[in-house]
Amino acid sequence: MYLVKPFSLAILFVLFSLNFTIAQQQPEIIPIPANYQLNPGAFLWDSKVGIRLEGFPNQGNYLQQEALRLLDMPLLEIESASKTIVIKKVNDLKPGYKINIQQNSVTIEASNETGAFYGVISLIQLAHAAKEKHGEIALPNWEIQDSPRYAWRGIMLDESRYFFGMEKVKQLLDHMAYYKLNTFHWHLTDAPGWRIEIKSFPKLATVGGIGNQSEPNAPAAYYTQEEIKEIVRYARERMIQVIPEIDMPGHATAANRAYPEHSGGGSEKYPDFTFHPAKESTYAYLSQILHEVDALFPSNMMHLGGDEVSFGNQMWPKDPDVLKLMAKEGLTGMKDVEDYFFERMADTLFRFNNKVLAWDEMATANLPKDKTIIFWWRHDKKEQLSLSLKNGYPTVVCPRIPFYFDFLQKEDHKYGRKWAGAFAPLEAVYHFDMDAFGIKKEEEDLILGIQANLWTETVPNEERFDFLMYPRIAALAEVVWSQKEDQAYPSFMSRLAAHLKKYKAEKLYYYDPLDPDHHPEPVYEP
């Protein structure tokens, strides 16, 4: 029988068999597990610990790697060990994992690879927190049973504005895995730059990849297809699916720089912003691109953007070919043209057995409900969330406030964004409450989960990347994994302390909510 977690801030003192006292109220894991019970005693993880696998050899290997990397603790072959960590497959176990820590053994049980992986992550976090506090790894004898609240637990990274490269992306994936986040939404194309090699159209990368948000003539920066494959492989090892975003019909300036014959024009502020919606050659061109992209990403999902097209579709009403298209298809306005374009490109993805993903502007399009996912991002347009759910679309929630991580974290920060004075401090991320939106009972299952987005207009370097991502990524993880009744901000902050030390050891330029002057806000000068 598992105990319901306490909400009090009082500290529970437990005397362990190793003759020391630990102030321990909850297992030191982010996100906080669903159920746990503390038993007397502790498991001392020292040089005499070995590993035994009764299933899931890949997760056994991952545990060995992370124990060495994060804890400086190699695991022995079982014949040489006096204490054991066991990873065990249990077929009738519900989704998630169990951990049982005893004086001479730790057992992780799961019914599938994903559950075993998350059990390993929880064990690593417990060990890391113990080592940070006491110098030795004495694990309290916890019994833990855990599973996630939401299936979709995501981070989006925009690399069109500024390009960070494979090692930084891998570092982000490591932290996503550490927090049990499972979806990496990769924004690879937009107006400033095209960041993925397309062999059929090489100038997309070599010409479209030139420039960034502040330097239009910066050397071309993009991922080769081999680098894409490596990142997808690395993510898969960490139970993370990678979903590319190839933006259309707007945000197409970089692509149109490479192949201007497919441009639908733009506006004075946003030149060549759109793909042409009335040329058959445009659809053939984009379909070939998507076919190549699909071959690189096994997630069978692709995000096609579909947002902010009105920023640069001012040429459409004057274009004879667009006017002919409107007459032929019975389209009455520019939004109808936009939806027509998007529905055609979605059909291309469906032929590749992909789902189409789109921002909330596409909640009005005529897309199949079983093959479409809508991302609600406009926090000031709650009606778009309601419309998406009313129309039966599975929906990922990622409102600007508080899940746009380029927004300011503190009132006196200067270089991020605000929305009508609102910003996204750590506490606001943590206190996000889906119940506030009055979602109907019959629509609750359409909410797939929550995602945070790091747009990089103000993120030209790794210092600002780290400052904006960490530790808000940890707050996101608890919101999207743990049940609402289990969340408590003071408890989270107490558990976060060991994670801040981990960031420091990894030389991240993180924001420290306990000591805001530890790392001053990095300057952004466009």
Side-chain angles (χ1 to χ4, degrees):
M1 187 73 176
Y2 292 95
L3 298 179
V4 176
K5 293 175 287 302
F7 291 94
S8 166
L9 295 179
I11 298 176
L12 176 63
F13 289 93
V14 180
L15 181 63
F16 290 107
S17 58
L18 296 173
N19 297 320
F20 63 89
T21 301
I22 295 181
Q24 185 72 55
Q25 186 182 8
Q26 295 177 314
E28 297 210 56
I29 296 171
I30 297 176
I32 192 68
N35 298 287
Y36 51 81
Q37 176 174 308
L38 182 60
N39 299 317
F43 174 90
L44 183 61
W45 188 341
D46 57 19
S47 60
K48 299 176 182 177
V49 174
I51 185 169
R52 185 171 77 240
L53 301 178
E54 299 177 13
F56 310 120
N58 291 338
Q59 306 322 318
N61 182 252
Y62 189 78
L63 174 59
Q64 289 177 300
Q65 291 177 19
E66 293 298 277
L68 197 57
R69 182 176 75 91
L70 293 176
L71 308 173
D72 195 26
M73 191 66 72
L75 288 165
L76 303 175
E77 295 180 5
I78 197 66
E79 293 80 7
S80 308
S82 59
K83 290 172 283 190
T84 57
I85 296 174
V86 181
I87 301 178
K88 185 176 182 180
K89 184 171 185 178
V90 180
N91 290 325
D92 59 352
L93 192 66
K94 292 180 180 179
Y97 66 91
K98 287 183 180 179
I99 295 178
N100 186 1
I101 303 175
Q102 298 181 359
Q103 187 164 337
N104 291 310
S105 68
V106 176
T107 303
I108 299 171
E109 295 181 339
S111 62
N112 58 33
E113 290 275 353
T114 304
F117 179 79
Y118 293 142
V120 165
I121 291 296
S122 287
L123 177 61
I124 288 287
Q125 282 203 24
L126 286 170
H128 189 265
K131 186 174 182 180
E132 284 293 339
K133 285 191 171 183
H134 306 289
E136 60 182 353
I137 305 174
L139 304 179
N141 283 359
W142 288 108
E143 290 181 62
I144 296 170
Q145 184 168 354
D146 198 14
S147 57
R149 179 185 184 190
Y150 288 112
W152 190 290
R153 306 181 300 279
I155 290 282
M156 188 223 75
L157 174 63
D158 163 28
E159 286 203 81
S160 175
R161 273 84 183 185
Y162 289 103
F163 181 84
F164 293 96
M166 185 158 61
E167 292 311 307
K168 194 63 180 176
V169 169
K170 283 185 171 182
Q171 184 186 63
L172 175 61
L173 292 170
D174 282 335
H175 287 100
M176 288 179 65
Y178 197 74
Y179 292 120
K180 304 186 177 82
L181 300 173
N182 67 351
T183 305
F184 178 48
H185 172 179
W186 205 2
H187 189 82
L188 289 165
T189 75
D190 210 306
W194 183 283
R195 307 302 183 198
I196 177 172
E197 177 189 24
I198 302 297
K199 293 186 176 180
S200 302
F201 300 100
K203 288 193 293 184
L204 283 170
T206 59
V207 176
I210 293 172
N212 57 42
Q213 183 72 16
S214 58
E215 298 181 54
N217 296 315
Y222 59 91
Y223 292 98
T224 67
Q225 293 196 1
E226 291 306 308
E227 288 172 327
I228 294 281
K229 291 175 188 175
E230 169 57 18
I231 288 171
V232 168
R233 180 205 64 78
Y234 194 85
R236 189 188 303 120
E237 264 188 6
R238 288 151 180 77
M239 301 298 154
I240 297 169
Q241 62 180 350
V242 184
I243 296 169
E245 181 174 352
I246 308 298
D247 223 334
M248 60 183 70
H251 295 278
T253 308
N256 289 334
R257 189 163 63 242
Y259 294 95
E261 62 269 30
H262 302 296
S263 174
S267 63
E268 184 177 351
K269 187 175 181 181
Y270 302 101
D272 288 309
F273 188 73
T274 64
F275 291 115
H276 202 292
K279 290 183 178 178
E280 287 302 311
S281 58
T282 299
Y283 294 101
Y285 161 71
L286 292 174
S287 294
Q288 194 165 348
I289 291 169
L290 296 187
H291 201 191
E292 274 198 46
V293 175
D294 173 59
L296 299 171
F297 294 91
S299 58
N300 288 334
M301 288 187 275
M302 206 178 300
H303 203 299
L304 297 187
D307 65 314
E308 300 179 331
V309 179
S310 61
F311 284 10
N313 65 357
Q314 281 73 4
M315 299 302 295
W316 290 8
K318 309 170 188 176
D319 189 306
D321 291 327
V322 174
L323 295 175
K324 289 177 186 176
L325 173 70
M326 293 175 71
K328 177 183 176 184
E329 299 293 337
L331 309 176
T332 59
M334 293 305 102
K335 185 63 171 74
D336 287 346
V337 176
E338 179 185 331
D339 288 356
Y340 169 85
F341 176 103
F342 202 90
E343 289 161 15
R344 282 197 61 174
M345 294 314 306
D347 285 341
T348 296
L349 288 188
F350 301 150
R351 289 196 293 274
F352 303 156
N353 197 34
N354 273 235
K355 288 186 176 181
V356 65
L357 284 54
W359 300 111
D360 63 41
E361 286 92 330
M362 284 297 120
T364 58
N366 183 25
L367 298 165
K369 310 304 183 279
D370 60 334
K371 298 177 182 179
T372 304
I373 297 173
I374 297 295
F375 287 63
W376 176 58
W377 67 280
R378 290 181 290 176
H379 73 282
D380 57 321
K381 293 185 179 294
K382 296 182 178 67
E383 66 272 15
Q384 287 301 110
L385 173 62
S386 299
L387 180 62
S388 179
L389 298 175
K390 179 183 177 182
N391 288 345
Y393 290 121
T395 301
V396 174
V397 173
C398 53
R400 281 173 294 210
I401 303 293
F403 293 121
Y404 272 29
F405 280 3
D406 55 316
F407 276 50
L408 297 180
Q409 298 179 81
K410 199 166 174 277
E411 181 65 43
D412 60 358
H413 288 171
K414 299 177 181 178
Y415 301 106
R417 293 199 290 162
K418 288 185 179 181
W419 181 274
F423 52 105
L426 180 69
E427 192 167 1
V429 174
Y430 191 87
H431 285 304
F432 180 77
D433 185 5
M434 281 301 304
D435 295 341
F437 298 101
I439 295 168
K440 297 175 183 177
K441 187 73 175 174
E442 62 270 23
E443 294 174 345
E444 287 179 354
D445 287 346
L446 290 172
I447 301 294
L448 300 182
I450 298 171
Q451 175 173 294
N453 300 332
L454 182 59
W455 299 102
T456 60
E457 285 93 336
T458 65
V459 191
N461 54 49
E462 293 189 8
E463 280 193 352
R464 279 196 62 78
F465 183 112
D466 295 345
F467 190 81
L468 296 170
M469 182 64 70
Y470 307 102
R472 286 191 289 191
I473 188 174
L476 165 72
E478 190 140 309
V479 168
V480 75
W481 177 284
S482 304
Q483 297 299 321
K484 187 65 182 176
E485 61 270 19
D486 300 333
Q487 298 168 20
Y489 191 66
S491 160
F492 168 77
M493 290 300 292
S494 175
R495 286 175 282 121
L496 183 64
H499 296 249
L500 298 177
K501 292 180 180 178
K502 177 176 179 288
Y503 302 158
K504 184 175 182 179
E506 293 171 339
K507 296 181 169 45
L508 296 177
Y509 195 91
Y510 61 96
Y511 171 67
D512 188 342
L514 304 176
D515 180 13
D517 295 327
H518 176 71
H519 284 141
E521 182 190 18
V523 172
Y524 169 67
E525 295 179 351

